[in-house]
Amino acid sequence: MSWKDAWLAATRSLGRRAGRTALTVLAVALAAALLSALLIISTSARTRVLDQLAKGGPLAGIQVAAAAPGPAALDTDSPSPGRARDLDATTLRQIRGLRGVRSVVPIESNPVLVEVPATTLDPFRETLVGIDLRRVKTLPITVIVGRTPAIGSRTEIAVTDGYLRRLGLDRKTAAKVIGTEVELGAPRVFPSRNGRTDVRGRWTRAEIVGVVAQQVVSAQFLGSAEMVRDARAWSAASDPAGGFQLPSSRYAGVFVVADGLDHVGAVRARITRLGYSTSAPENLIETVRRYLRVVEIVLAGIGIIALAIASLGITNALLAAIRERRREIGVLKAIGARDRDVRRIFLLEAGMTGLVGGALGTVIGYGIARILGAVVNQYLVEQGLPGVAIGLPLPVLVGGVLGAAALAVIAGVVPAQRAARLPARQAMGDG
Amino acid sequence: MAGVPITARGVSMTYRARGGDVEVLRDFSLDIQTGERISVMGPSGAGKTTLLALIGGLEAVQAGTITVGDLELSTLHGDALANYRHRTVGFVFQHFGLLGNLTALENVELAMSFSTGSSRVRRERAGFLLDAVGVAARSHHRPAELSGGEAQRVALARALANEPSLLLADEPTGNLDGTTAEQVLDLLDTVARDHECTVITVTHDPRVANRSDRIVRLASGTAPK
């Protein structure tokens, strides 16, 4: 008997017992739904937790400071940097050339005097950090509200929690600053006249387009690299005798992405040998990853137990079917079916039940995960935190459907074997 | 297709039961000529159906030998025995033995699905056979939608599907009324003659038995009289 004929026979048989088949499929679907929902939620949670640890940047990110390495440079994730050391274009090239480095993003900054129009806030000093905004996704920057400034913009900025606190706001009320403006003055010291220091600002009016959490450099304002370069060019022309000392380093820092989490340690060591202080949450991420793996295993175990129970339901349904179909199996054998033909029909019945149940269950599980994700997101947004994105990972989809089918086939082995061994004499009844 | 001679020598059969072993056949011997049509009669429990099951390869021979054509059945096991049932034997059961989830046409096709052959050829032959037994108009009906006579005709078409040399009928009219039974018996006679196959019919009904070339009578657990 060909597989096609066996498949047709199995399909007809399942269709004939539509009620029982539907209940068995439902049991498998519910178990598969539980398994896939747990795996989808744990995968999303894992991504979110690791993303939080990496502060929105890649897991294999390394921050390089414009400073010499401290004594315990490689022993901790965040060592104290040593004395200041310039980071320039040459250093950037050297870091790019290191083995295990995937990308290098320079960070630029400049001091600014800030005025906030239409408030009673006194002008204050802060730092404006500038990055190549085309590569913002490779940096530890998380958008809380709004967006990052447009690429190359000289009139848009994003602010951090520190700015919100100055205004008496927090993340829940962060949206209030979107669309407001600030005036940023890059300072330049001119030669003194009459013994008084003459500081003039190059003022730029900028619109706040987003609130971000950033771990790039300690600063409350994030703009484009072009905006910071303009400010720096103005400030760099200060009179050296004026007492205003602009940092000599071309770059405030560098963000390096290694080829993978496993390479972070080696890349950090190579950068340290170049003479710069580095920090990366590699140890923390690795520890958390281990804990998350344990959680995933436990959740998957719960789902698999549910699926195993559903598989027992398949076994039970098939055994009941065999009891009812003894004569039918006998007739099949009387007209020429071999043991393996009968076995094949029953295994296909089990497999189809598992496949349909698995597919249905995975879709249901995805739906459940989406609903739970929406509830969780509502809570996170209320807390001023970025939400989680619920997706359907390919391994969960494939595993949910094929895993259920495979378990169902395993569950069908004993009934199929029993059916195959029924004597052909059953065709004539028990007498 | 042509009939086969059958030889049974010293066949004994005992069933194990909770209340003790039940000897159904003891030292039974029989010769059937090629193309011969015989009827087996006897009281309930005499071993009629068991004899049919043994000759049809549904039951393993415990003692003695049964030879069908040049095949010694006790030497056949597993796939070889299934192959024998498929290629040599056509069964007609009292309860028809049609699969309820298949149409009449599919039931006949099913008997051909255990050997190679395209589904188109199988379907054409199944249609031809249903036409030959007079139920072509019921091809797409399921067994539950057929009368007893129609169902038995479909069963007969299925039995002929693989051009068997040996037709075994177990009480083929047991579930039919008188008129329908006569029609089915006429049909059975016709196909047996046309296909030149050896026919063994188990029956309680003398009208059925009288249509055969020879009647074998079994007494309880004994050799034929």
Side-chain angles (χ1 to χ4, degrees):
Chain A
M1 188 178 220
S2 68
W3 280 101
K4 184 186 169 190
D5 288 325
W7 181 80
L8 280 171
T11 308
R12 294 292 175 80
S13 179
L14 288 172
R16 186 180 174 192
R17 296 161 183 83
R20 182 186 294 162
T21 301
L23 284 174
T24 312
V25 166
L26 187 64
V28 177
L30 288 175
L34 177 63
L35 175 64
S36 53
L38 289 174
L39 287 179
I40 289 169
I41 289 166
S42 68
T43 304
S44 302
R46 179 175 186 269
T47 307
R48 185 69 192 86
V49 168
L50 292 178
D51 192 48
Q52 187 67 27
L53 289 177
K55 307 297 179 191
L59 291 178
I62 301 165
Q63 285 176 284
V64 182
L74 295 172
D75 295 339
T76 65
D77 285 354
S78 302
S80 301
R83 60 183 167 74
R85 184 170 182 198
D86 288 359
L87 265 169
D88 54 19
T90 306
T91 316
L92 231 60
R93 275 197 302 277
Q94 286 176 324
I95 294 174
R96 280 200 182 99
L98 292 175
R99 192 155 45 87
V101 171
R102 181 175 295 170
S103 67
V104 175
V105 182
I107 316 296
E108 299 172 58
S109 68
N110 199 67
V112 285
L113 190 65
V114 184
E115 283 193 9
V116 185
T119 65
T120 56
L121 207 62
D122 291 332
F124 58 93
R125 286 182 181 182
E126 245 309 318
T127 301
L128 172 65
V129 63
I131 56 164
D132 179 354
L133 288 162
R134 285 170 300 191
R135 305 172 75 178
V136 71
K137 288 190 186 306
T138 63
L139 294 168
I141 296 171
T142 306
V143 176
I144 295 167
V145 181
R147 59 177 173 82
T148 53
I151 294 165
S153 172
R154 287 174 165 85
T155 58
E156 290 183 351
I157 57 164
V159 297
T160 65
D161 285 329
Y163 180 73
L164 296 179
R165 283 194 293 275
R166 284 182 188 276
L167 297 180
L169 301 174
D170 56 24
R171 287 189 175 185
K172 289 180 186 173
T173 52
K176 287 183 178 175
V177 301
I178 305 297
T180 62
E181 291 182 329
V182 291
E183 290 185 353
L184 305 173
R188 181 196 281 184
V189 179
F190 286 85
S192 61
R193 287 179 296 184
N194 305 324
R196 294 179 62 186
T197 302
D198 183 11
V199 180
R200 297 180 200 170
R202 178 184 178 279
W203 290 92
T204 303
R205 183 175 280 249
E207 180 188 355
I208 297 172
V209 295
V211 177
V212 298
Q214 62 92 7
Q215 299 290 315
V216 177
V217 165
S218 176
Q220 292 182 4
F221 298 96
L222 174 74
S224 68
E226 290 83 350
M227 191 181 199
V228 174
R229 269 177 223 145
D230 289 350
R232 187 173 174 81
W234 172 263
S235 299
S238 289
D239 178 12
F244 174 73
Q245 190 64 49
L246 193 69
S248 60
S249 179
R250 169 82 173 78
Y251 300 112
V254 172
F255 192 77
V256 176
V257 180
D259 278 338
L261 198 59
D262 296 340
H263 292 87
V264 168
V267 171
R268 281 187 71 191
R270 288 174 195 130
I271 296 172
T272 302
R273 280 199 290 276
L274 284 178
Y276 290 91
S277 173
T278 63
S279 62
E282 55 171 313
N283 295 319
L284 178 60
I285 288 174
E286 198 49 55
T287 304
V288 171
R289 269 170 62 156
R290 288 196 195 105
Y291 282 119
L292 289 172
R293 175 62 62 190
V294 171
V295 171
E296 282 173 353
I297 290 169
V298 170
L299 292 179
I302 292 169
I304 287 170
I305 288 170
L307 213 48
I309 292 169
S311 298
L312 289 177
I314 292 177
T315 305
N316 186 44
L318 285 175
L319 286 174
I322 290 166
R323 279 193 295 276
E324 292 169 8
R325 292 159 65 183
R326 293 173 74 90
R327 178 172 282 181
E328 180 183 314
I329 294 164
V331 168
L332 278 174
K333 289 193 160 188
I335 62 177
R338 296 159 298 188
D339 286 1
R340 66 169 172 269
D341 294 324
V342 176
R343 190 183 302 120
R344 187 177 288 181
I345 291 170
F346 276 85
L347 284 178
L348 280 172
E349 283 187 29
M352 281 191 278
T353 305
L355 198 66
V356 174
L360 195 63
T362 304
V363 172
I364 294 171
Y366 178 58
I368 292 171
R370 288 293 296 259
I371 293 167
L372 289 175
V375 174
V376 170
N377 274 343
Q378 190 179 0
Y379 171 77
L380 289 175
V381 169
E382 282 173 6
Q383 298 300 309
L385 294 167
V388 291
I390 300 291
L392 182 55
L394 189 63
V396 174
L397 176 65
V398 174
V401 177
L402 297 186
L407 266 178
V409 169
I410 292 169
V413 166
V414 170
Q417 195 63 18
R418 189 170 288 186
R421 285 181 179 168
L422 272 180
R425 170 69 192 259
Q426 292 293 329
M428 294 180 148
D430 292 324
Chain B
M1 177 177 62
V4 283
I6 299 167
T7 305
R9 288 285 177 271
V11 176
S12 296
M13 187 72 189
T14 303
Y15 288 115
R16 289 179 174 248
R18 286 184 184 172
D21 291 354
V22 179
E23 187 178 51
V24 183
L25 288 173
R26 187 196 314 149
D27 197 21
F28 173 85
S29 295
L30 177 69
D31 287 294
I32 302 173
Q33 304 302 312
T34 301
E36 191 178 11
R37 285 179 291 161
I38 71 160
S39 288
V40 180
M41 297 190 77
S44 296
K48 305 184 296 295
T49 300
T50 297
L51 177 63
L52 214 59
L54 287 168
I55 294 173
L58 299 180
E59 196 88 73
V61 179
Q62 287 178 349
T65 60
I66 296 177
T67 308
V68 178
D70 53 2
L71 291 175
E72 164 53 56
L73 296 191
S74 60
T75 64
L76 301 180
H77 304 282
D79 285 1
L81 199 56
N83 214 29
Y84 161 73
R85 292 193 294 260
H86 180 58
R87 296 190 184 285
T88 308
V89 186
F91 286 96
V92 178
F93 302 106
Q94 179 181 358
H95 57 80
F96 318 133
L98 299 176
L99 271 62
N101 52 333
L102 303 181
T103 64
L105 190 72
E106 290 165 342
N107 264 287
V108 181
E109 272 190 83
L110 181 68
M112 293 179 270
S113 68
F114 302 109
S115 53
T116 55
S118 75
S119 56
R120 186 181 58 81
V121 171
R122 290 186 333 222
R123 180 145 292 215
E124 282 176 3
R125 176 159 173 76
F128 167 78
L129 288 168
L130 288 175
D131 189 38
V133 299
V135 285
R138 310 290 264 157
S139 295
H140 299 290
H141 288 81
R142 291 175 191 270
E145 299 162 344
L146 303 175
S147 68
E150 289 170 334
Q152 197 58 297
R153 283 164 185 265
V154 173
L156 189 55
R158 185 182 64 186
L160 296 170
N162 296 310
E163 300 185 337
S165 308
L166 173 61
L167 204 54
L168 302 178
D170 184 23
E171 301 279 9
T173 58
N175 282 349
L176 305 177
D177 62 62
T179 308
T180 309
E182 285 296 326
Q183 290 170 348
V184 168
L185 288 172
D186 289 344
L187 183 62
L188 194 59
D189 288 344
T190 304
V191 297
R193 187 177 58 247
D194 291 350
H195 292 80
E196 299 176 340
C197 44
T198 304
V199 180
I200 303 175
T201 306
V202 165
T203 184
H204 282 104
D205 188 343
R207 289 174 302 171
V208 177
N210 289 335
R211 285 171 172 258
S212 44
D213 299 329
R214 181 158 55 107
I215 299 173
V216 175
R217 295 181 191 279
L218 292 180
S220 213
T222 61
K225 293 177 178 174

